[in-house]
Amino acid sequence: MILHAYSSIKKLVFSRVHGKAFLLVLLTLSLLGAQKTQAQDSLEVDAEKHLNFYRIWGFVKYYHPASAEGKLKADSLFFLYLPKVDSARTEKQANAVFKAMLQSIGLPPEGDKLKPQEDNPKGAFLLKNVDDTWRTKSKYLSNDNRKFLEKLFERRYTGAKHHYTYVRYNPYGGTVPHELAYVRKPQENLTYPLRMLALAKFKTYVDYLYPYKHLMDVPWDDVILQAIPLFAKCENRQEYERLLLSVNARLDDTQAFSFFRQLHHREKLFKNHYFPPFDYRLAEKKIIVTAIIDPVLCRTSNIKRGDVIEALDSVGIEEWVMALKSVLAVSNNQALWARVGEWGDNLLFRSEDDKMRVRLTRGEEQITTTLRLMDPIAPAKAKLIDAFFKKEHATPAKKSKTLAYAAKGIVHFKIDDTYRFINDDTPEEDAVLMDTLVNRAVKAKGIIFDMRGEPDNSDFVYQYLYKKFGKKNHYFARYYQMNSYQLGTYKLLTQPEVYFPATITPEETAYNGKVIILVNGRTHSIAEWNAMSLQRLFPNSIVLGEQTAGADGDVKKFPLPGGYEATFSGNAIYYPNNTATQRQGIKLDVPVQPTLKGLLARKDELLQKAIALINGEDPVAEAQK
């Protein structure tokens, strides 16, 4: 439970005092850093009363026709009744406030009684998030309030064009409409009503619009209960951002990972103004120095390319990384490891000054040294950084339109490098060009589909590969979208265009060579969706690599007071047999992880393994499949 997690982090932090205890940053960042009862006692905030207020308010916001049609402004209703809720000292008084609020809104006109969504036919609906016991069996709510809410449920809004959910040009994702941003200056703390509104919005977004609520590690109501007194007593904008970050982390969704990049006080929260004078990668739960950015600082720090860093300020790299789970949203540990190594985010080298102690291995030698860090805004250092990354990410002026080969007779398609094949002319001309390339690939003894990246052309798998290799009824997944009949439930989409272009008649070409699908923690969202399609297109393919990000379903964005946007997977994706991809990722056949030795030699070990499999040089991996 929450307090158990708190104790674990606390133990980790204070056992490392001799190493500057910079994991204390993570403790103070975390929502778990203050116990509920202590905060409540100091401010007399009744968390349970607030929680029930948020529940009722969200229920009205998403189910009452007046709100759904834009006639009732949900935020105004919240602001009007928040002080009255705070003034209520007992459950009876709180229920009197709830009743007054509900009666002021009134019930919709009586009509046909609407029933709860049933899973009929079986498998057509997802009902896993539904838990109405808070209103049907609540000991906190009065009988009158429970009856009112039941009647409202029976007369709820069921139209598709809901004022707070309908995204006009993107029914699958996009930013939910009619939510005010309440932008304030970066140093200005949000008022108490705005802070509590932010938490209430976050709660109800997840309750009604997040299909994976049931997969979260910590029950969502527990998260909100812990957060209520902390949001109430929040003293400044930095603290407010810290609390938002902590609540966001509890989503356990890689699509919510980037939230921290919006924060105005990110640098102070993460203590990461200073950057390492080298580029690096992670492997075997250690940091390997892959390139030098500032030669002078590296010489001063006794750092060389190929050094393997095992500890920062006396804290092992694995502990350092795993502690970040309290403040960063990820679906699984592999997704975390795949992201914390971004040099630009600087999530690993956290220090309040420009130096830190590191323990490293160089060959057989163990070295402890003082690492001198870079100030990225110093003009000379900024110039070095700019020159390094321009060179590192330089792209050829003109890309070849021919097939790439990983080895003799083995075609290598990179999912983030397929747009170069087309001329961006008419769809018909592009289709002819792609057909020519795919026909050439069919003659190869093996094809590697490298899904370790962001797809740069959505038509590559969806259209061109389906046209050549697909079969009719290419339903490779089960895609569940928000169900307007009862928000909080999700409806299976069966229209072909969700899964394959219905206007194309597939050629059903059989490919006799070997197909390898490469994946890792960077295989995320649409890349995971495309990988599932490839598994269906090539039933004998081998999925090789590391656990994927476990975050599929179009992203939805949710404005929060202060000018922030929460993001998370807005729809639910399953395999045809109802196996979830969220948090789990794509089904792996042959697990392979990069090694320090391979990185030192600048080898792509996943790609080499794929080549060996196709060439019949790795019977062990073949047997694993």
Side-chain angles (χ1 to χ4, degrees):
M1 291 304 292
I2 290 181
L3 292 182
H4 173 72
Y6 162 72
S7 299
S8 298
I9 296 175
K10 184 176 181 181
K11 182 179 179 182
L12 170 61
V13 171
F14 291 104
S15 66
R16 301 293 180 181
V17 172
H18 61 279
K20 288 189 180 180
F22 280 123
L23 288 184
L24 181 60
V25 173
L26 296 178
L27 180 63
T28 56
L29 271 171
S30 174
L31 176 64
L32 313 180
Q35 295 187 42
K36 169 187 167 186
T37 54
Q38 293 174 340
Q40 277 187 236
D41 290 344
S42 63
L43 288 178
E44 297 182 353
V45 174
D46 187 335
E48 188 176 6
K49 177 180 65 177
H50 267 248
L51 180 64
N52 279 284
F53 175 47
Y54 301 171
R55 286 165 167 168
I56 294 171
W57 174 76
F59 195 81
V60 169
K61 177 178 179 177
Y62 288 106
Y63 281 160
H64 201 294
S67 173
E69 293 168 0
K71 299 172 184 176
L72 171 67
K73 301 304 180 184
D75 290 8
S76 298
L77 184 70
F78 186 91
F79 292 141
L80 178 62
Y81 281 92
L82 177 63
K84 299 178 182 181
V85 169
D86 281 333
S87 296
R89 296 301 177 188
T90 65
E91 288 184 17
K92 185 176 180 180
Q93 290 175 352
N95 272 279
V97 174
F98 299 156
K99 183 175 181 178
M101 180 176 74
L102 293 172
Q103 288 181 337
S104 72
I105 302 164
L107 283 168
E110 191 169 1
D112 292 337
K113 185 184 291 187
L114 297 171
K115 297 180 179 180
Q117 179 64 65
E118 297 178 356
D119 187 21
N120 187 22
K122 187 174 176 59
F125 296 91
L126 283 182
L127 310 179
K128 296 179 180 180
N129 280 347
V130 176
D131 182 4
D132 286 334
T133 55
W134 69 267
R135 64 176 178 85
T136 60
K137 298 180 180 180
S138 172
K139 294 181 180 178
Y140 191 97
L141 296 184
S142 67
N143 190 47
D144 286 347
N145 286 331
R146 286 198 301 270
K147 286 181 178 179
F148 186 102
L149 294 173
E150 182 59 30
K151 288 179 181 178
L152 174 54
F153 181 75
E154 293 171 352
R155 305 177 196 180
R156 66 188 179 273
Y157 181 83
T158 59
K161 296 186 178 181
H162 194 294
H163 186 71
Y164 291 110
T165 67
Y166 177 65
V167 182
R168 185 175 181 182
Y169 297 109
N170 187 359
Y172 301 104
T175 302
V176 295
H178 304 117
E179 298 284 5
L180 298 178
Y182 300 103
V183 177
R184 298 293 184 269
K185 294 178 181 179
Q187 297 301 326
E188 181 183 345
N189 192 21
L190 273 70
T191 61
Y192 167 76
L194 279 176
R195 297 197 305 270
M196 306 320 287
L197 176 67
L199 188 58
K201 282 176 179 279
F202 219 140
K203 170 172 171 50
T204 54
Y205 287 152
V206 171
D207 284 344
Y208 294 95
L209 302 173
Y210 183 42
Y212 299 121
K213 175 184 171 183
H214 63 285
L215 294 178
M216 294 161 65
D217 285 341
V218 180
W220 186 233
D221 279 0
D222 289 356
V223 173
I224 302 302
L225 276 169
Q226 288 278 331
I228 286 168
L230 302 179
F231 273 71
K233 73 172 186 176
C234 175
E235 296 179 351
N236 55 57
R237 186 65 169 271
Q238 181 176 320
E239 175 73 7
Y240 175 65
E241 291 191 339
R242 171 164 53 227
L243 293 172
L244 286 179
L245 185 66
S246 300
V247 172
N248 184 75
R250 301 282 72 79
L251 293 172
D252 300 322
D253 182 4
T254 308
Q255 306 228 66
F257 173 81
S258 62
F259 182 78
F260 72 94
R261 294 177 183 146
Q262 305 174 48
L263 305 183
H264 300 291
H265 299 275
R266 180 179 71 181
E267 189 176 289
K268 291 181 179 178
L269 290 169
F270 284 92
K271 310 292 183 187
N272 66 347
H273 174 78
Y274 297 98
F275 282 65
F278 51 80
D279 201 6
Y280 55 92
R281 296 273 302 278
L282 298 176
E284 299 181 24
K285 298 180 178 176
K286 297 174 184 177
I287 297 171
I288 180 169
V289 178
T290 56
I292 303 300
I293 298 175
D294 187 331
V296 174
L297 277 186
C298 284
R299 278 197 300 272
T300 304
S301 305
N302 190 21
I303 297 290
K304 297 181 179 180
R305 183 191 172 275
D307 286 349
V308 178
I309 298 175
E310 299 177 348
L312 299 171
D313 279 327
S314 303
V315 180
I317 301 304
E318 182 174 8
E319 292 174 289
W320 200 254
V321 169
M322 295 312 295
L324 284 165
K325 283 191 72 176
S326 66
V327 291
L328 297 175
V330 286
S331 302
N332 54 58
N333 289 344
Q334 184 58 44
L336 178 66
W337 282 95
R339 281 158 182 76
V340 296
E342 286 286 344
W343 192 90
D345 286 334
N346 197 27
L347 293 170
L348 296 181
F349 294 87
R350 300 183 300 278
S351 175
E352 290 185 302
D353 51 41
D354 63 354
K355 56 185 176 294
M356 63 192 314
R357 297 290 288 173
V358 301
R359 187 176 76 245
L360 61 86
T361 300
R362 182 180 297 155
E364 300 296 322
E365 187 180 5
Q366 296 283 326
I367 298 172
T368 298
T369 185
T370 299
L371 172 63
R372 303 288 176 174
L373 299 166
M374 304 174 71
D375 183 347
I377 64 173
K381 304 304 181 185
K383 188 175 180 180
L384 282 173
I385 294 167
D386 186 59
F388 175 81
F389 284 103
K390 276 185 177 178
K391 182 179 179 181
E392 192 77 4
H393 299 291
T395 55
K398 188 175 181 180
K399 287 192 172 185
S400 169
K401 291 186 178 293
T402 60
L403 294 175
Y405 287 83
K408 186 176 181 180
I410 301 175
V411 172
H412 186 196
F413 286 115
K414 294 182 179 180
I415 199 63
D416 58 357
D417 190 33
T418 61
Y419 191 77
R420 66 183 175 87
F421 292 129
I422 64 175
N423 291 321
D424 202 18
D425 293 326
T426 66
E428 293 77 18
E429 289 172 321
D430 287 338
V432 170
L433 179 59
M434 285 301 302
D435 198 49
T436 301
L437 288 172
V438 173
N439 281 333
R440 195 178 305 159
V442 170
K443 299 175 183 178
K445 67 178 178 180
I447 301 176
I448 297 172
F449 292 104
D450 197 332
M451 309 304 290
R452 299 174 294 174
E454 185 77 19
D456 66 349
N457 181 6
S458 59
D459 284 337
F460 177 66
V461 175
Y462 178 78
Q463 180 173 316
Y464 303 128
L465 294 183
Y466 168 73
K467 179 178 181 294
K468 176 59 62 177
F469 303 105
K471 295 182 179 179
K472 293 180 180 179
N473 299 321
H474 181 62
Y475 292 99
F476 59 88
R478 296 174 69 85
Y479 186 112
Y480 290 87
Q481 189 182 30
M482 180 186 74
N483 176 26
S484 60
Y485 179 78
Q486 183 183 340
L487 293 181
T489 68
Y490 298 82
K491 182 178 182 179
L492 177 66
L493 297 186
T494 57
Q495 52 266 47
E497 58 270 17
V498 173
Y499 308 91
F500 56 92
T503 56
I504 292 178
T505 301
E507 298 173 15
E508 302 191 28
T509 301
Y511 177 63
N512 297 320
K514 291 182 179 179
V515 173
I516 309 293
I517 302 169
L518 295 183
V519 298
N520 65 4
R522 289 286 178 188
T523 307
H524 171 218
S525 190
I526 186 62
E528 291 180 289
W529 177 258
N530 283 341
M532 295 170 73
S533 182
L534 288 172
Q535 287 175 302
R536 183 66 173 256
L537 290 172
F538 303 98
N540 295 319
S541 61
I542 295 174
V543 180
L544 183 152
E546 301 171 279
Q547 184 180 25
T548 63
D552 206 348
D554 298 72
V555 171
K556 284 192 175 178
K557 300 178 180 180
F558 305 88
L560 291 169
Y564 309 97
E565 273 192 339
T567 62
F568 46 71
S569 304
N571 303 290
I573 308 298
Y574 288 76
Y575 277 103
N577 66 355
N578 286 324
T579 300
T581 59
Q582 186 73 7
R583 306 206 66 183
Q584 300 303 313
I586 299 304
K587 292 179 181 177
L588 270 179
D589 297 311
V590 180
V592 179
Q593 292 189 328
T595 65
L596 291 168
K597 183 178 179 181
L599 282 177
L600 281 169
R602 299 187 177 184
K603 293 180 179 179
D604 186 339
E605 292 169 287
L606 273 65
L607 183 61
Q608 288 190 332
K609 189 73 141 179
I611 293 169
L613 257 174
I614 290 172
N615 286 331
E617 299 167 359
D618 196 334
V620 175
E622 184 98 44
Q624 285 180 271
K625 166 64 177 176

